[in-house]
Amino acid sequence: MKTRLLIAAGALLLSTAAAAETLWITNVNLVSPEQPGRVGPGSVLVRDGIIAAVERGPARAVPPGVRKVDGKGYYLTPGLIDSHVHLFGVPGMSFDHVKRHKGIVEAYYRQMPRSYLYYGYTTVIDLAVSDRAVIDNFNRAPLHPDVVHCGEPLVYANGYPMSWIAPVERFEMFGNFIYDPAQAAAIPKRFTPADHTPEAGVARVAKGGGKCVKTHYERGFGANRKLPVMSDRVFADVKSAAVKNGLVLVTHGNSFEAQSFAVRGNADVLAHGMWHWGPHNASKELPAEIRALLDQIVARRIGYQPTMQVLYGMLAYLNPAYLNDPAVRKVVPAALADWFATPEGKWFKEEVAEGESDADALLGFEAPLRRQKMVLAYLASKDANFTFGSDTPSSPTYGNLPGLNGYLEMRRLHQAGLSLEQVFRAATINNARTFRLDAEVGTIEKGKKANLLLMKMSPLQDLAAYDNIVTVWIGGKEVERASLAAGN
């Protein structure tokens, strides 16, 4: 035991020294989103985990007392930002599974921070904190992305996502709710309206260190589409409180109705694409009313998170080849990957298929995906403020795995019409600016945190660049990508 403690202490000292040493990263091509048209040779000086200088042009002599890092002519970019994650969720598992398979869950949580880094995500934003201990443990990992969070989600009493939990438990799990006087009989007596106003809920998020606040407009799913939703007046109070507390207002909404509501109420970020068009669902073209709403989103630079992997992540259960993809075992422990392949591990397929054959279930996804792609193509043509978010995991599906889910989302966005530059900006400077992190991350500039990626190819030329990362720096700490894979 004593020997192991000494080794661990030595490793900690070495990692601390590595983060604090001065580096000269040279012989690289700089790719930074504030100057996407200026890709060329350069060097970056890193001191105490911060970018101390950026020099463009041919490499010069190494400054004295500095360790040289030869970039071999590869491409240096800022670390990526995933602005929609749920660190608490274990992909593929229900709450009961989490309780029954504690060893697998612990192994997953140990690997999770490394998996985000494996695909270059050096900053993640948790939009809905369910258990602060998960974030604390994430931050204690030897290597992990920086975490920004929105605190506990601000939910409407008995609405989404409270509705997924039994009434006897939902107010314990979602304690930061807005009291609806019309539902007084359905809210436990121990809660008082004064403690659950929009102002009180937003203040709780700010007090807990949140940088944003997550709200929802969701009437329901399937046969249950009568969930309570907040009014314009209540949402206006939420917005006012968010501004007062300096928080970014994020709103879940995947329909024309929901996004109209959020835009009308001046939300800062729309979490999800628009795959439900309501009365326009049967339209084969983009309706004029939807184009008008999208034009507002573009003009007001509202952050737009398409989260296409929400749908494709569920389709993983209808794709026999998915679990055979070697990438799956790069981001989750072998024990969890093996469990996915068991009958118990495929439990969620019944939820996805809803009693239909695989072929019929696949057909059911075609219309919402078509609608979403049309919306994204239009927004891309207008150069909207895309803010990259993977929604990992969006549901208890094994189709949303940390890191890999983000890479797959990028591929879907490009296929839907976003240019390579738009994808790159969405995952760097757009996220940084929209979530007010641009003083620290998002570009390769002096004074920013040294969250950097060395890629074999330029992300402005080939989407495969994001799967060809060589080295990751997190706060100046250098790690080879291969060492971050599960099992290493």
Side-chain angles (χ1 to χ4, degrees):
M1 175 65 76
K2 183 175 181 181
T3 300
R4 289 201 300 269
L5 288 174
L6 288 172
I7 292 173
L12 179 60
L13 287 172
L14 285 173
S15 65
T16 301
E21 73 176 332
T22 303
L23 306 175
W24 180 246
I25 305 172
T26 190
N27 189 23
V28 293
N29 290 289
L30 301 179
V31 187
S32 194
E34 84 285 4
Q35 300 185 70
R38 193 183 177 190
V39 177
S43 304
V44 175
L45 181 67
V46 176
R47 182 179 293 117
D48 296 328
I50 302 296
I51 297 173
V54 179
E55 294 190 5
R56 294 183 177 270
R60 61 177 176 83
V62 182
V66 175
R67 181 169 73 85
K68 176 183 175 181
V69 177
D70 185 353
K72 300 180 181 179
Y74 293 155
Y75 295 83
L76 191 71
T77 77
L80 307 177
I81 304 168
D82 188 338
S83 64
H84 194 151
V85 305
H86 301 287
L87 300 180
F88 175 74
V90 179
M93 285 193 170
S94 67
F95 292 139
D96 286 339
H97 291 132
V98 169
K99 293 176 182 177
R100 288 202 298 267
H101 299 284
K102 291 183 179 179
I104 295 177
V105 170
E106 289 172 359
Y108 168 75
Y109 279 141
R110 286 195 299 272
Q111 173 59 35
M112 175 175 56
R114 301 165 62 86
S115 297
Y116 280 110
L117 292 175
Y118 184 82
Y119 278 98
Y121 298 101
T122 56
T123 301
V124 295
I125 303 178
D126 192 322
L127 292 192
V129 177
S130 298
D131 184 350
R132 184 55 188 261
V134 172
I135 292 181
D136 292 340
N137 289 333
F138 188 97
N139 284 330
R140 281 194 286 268
L143 294 167
H144 62 84
D146 296 328
V147 180
V148 176
H149 67 82
C150 294
E152 290 186 70
L154 184 58
V155 301
Y156 202 62
N158 294 306
Y160 178 85
M162 291 182 82
S163 54
W164 289 110
I165 310 300
V168 70
E169 299 174 341
R170 65 179 53 159
F171 287 92
E172 297 299 328
M173 184 168 290
F174 293 97
N176 196 29
F177 68 91
I178 296 174
Y179 197 103
D180 177 11
Q183 298 186 63
I187 300 174
K189 300 296 183 183
R190 66 182 180 277
F191 298 107
T192 62
D195 291 334
H196 290 277
T197 63
E199 296 83 356
V202 173
R204 271 191 289 271
V205 171
K207 185 177 180 180
K211 302 298 182 184
C212 43
V213 59
K214 171 82 173 291
T215 57
H216 312 79
Y217 191 95
E218 179 63 71
R219 291 196 181 275
F221 308 90
N224 181 16
R225 295 184 181 274
K226 295 182 179 180
L227 296 179
V229 293
M230 64 181 74
S231 65
D232 284 357
R233 181 190 60 76
V234 170
F235 194 69
D237 290 341
V238 173
K239 175 64 179 183
S240 177
V243 171
K244 178 181 177 180
N245 287 275
L247 304 184
V248 176
L249 178 56
V250 182
T251 300
H252 160 106
N254 54 42
S255 66
F256 174 50
E257 178 191 18
Q259 295 194 4
S260 297
F261 169 85
V263 170
R264 197 163 61 242
N266 295 311
D268 298 306
V269 177
L270 299 179
H272 299 305
M274 189 194 301
W275 49 80
H276 298 302
W277 290 0
H280 306 290
N281 269 349
S283 177
K284 302 300 182 183
E285 304 292 335
L286 200 61
E289 294 92 335
I290 291 180
R291 288 199 307 271
L293 176 64
L294 299 179
D295 286 341
Q296 289 187 61
I297 292 169
V298 171
R300 290 156 58 178
R301 304 302 291 166
I302 295 172
Y304 202 88
Q305 292 181 346
T307 64
M308 295 190 73
Q309 274 301 113
V310 169
L311 299 182
Y312 284 105
M314 289 189 284
L315 285 172
Y317 288 90
L318 308 176
N319 176 11
Y322 173 77
L323 290 180
N324 294 325
D325 185 341
V328 169
R329 290 179 179 267
K330 297 285 188 182
V331 296
V332 296
L336 182 56
D338 290 342
W339 182 81
F340 289 156
T342 67
E344 183 186 24
K346 295 180 183 294
W347 71 279
F348 194 62
K349 181 178 179 179
E350 295 181 13
E351 301 286 333
V352 173
E354 295 183 334
E356 297 181 321
S357 67
D358 287 5
D360 287 340
L362 283 168
L363 282 174
F365 282 89
E366 286 186 359
L369 283 170
R370 174 181 55 80
R371 290 190 288 266
Q372 188 178 22
K373 290 174 183 177
M374 291 170 64
V375 166
L376 294 188
Y378 184 84
L379 288 173
S381 72
K382 302 288 186 176
D383 199 24
N385 180 30
F386 290 108
T387 49
F388 179 85
S390 65
D391 196 2
T392 304
S394 60
S395 62
T397 169
Y398 59 44
N400 292 159
L401 302 179
L404 175 60
N405 201 43
Y407 177 55
L408 295 176
E409 175 77 8
M410 287 181 163
R411 288 167 56 178
R412 302 298 183 189
L413 295 180
H414 187 45
Q415 292 165 1
L418 274 71
S419 69
L420 291 175
E421 183 182 327
Q422 286 175 320
V423 172
F424 181 58
R425 284 194 280 114
T428 53
I429 197 168
N430 288 4
N431 262 341
R433 286 174 174 169
T434 302
F435 284 89
R436 302 168 192 167
L437 306 174
D438 50 317
E440 302 173 10
V441 295
T443 60
I444 303 177
E445 294 181 279
K446 181 179 179 180
K448 301 288 181 76
K449 189 169 183 179
N451 289 356
L452 302 165
L453 307 176
L454 186 65
M455 301 179 175
K456 288 185 179 179
M457 55 191 76
S458 170
L460 299 180
Q461 296 178 340
D462 196 326
L463 200 67
Y466 299 104
D467 199 21
N468 280 271
I469 298 168
V470 178
T471 308
V472 179
W473 284 272
I474 178 74
K477 183 186 293 187
E478 179 181 342
V479 57
E480 297 304 307
R481 185 208 191 196
S483 70
L484 295 165
N488 289 342

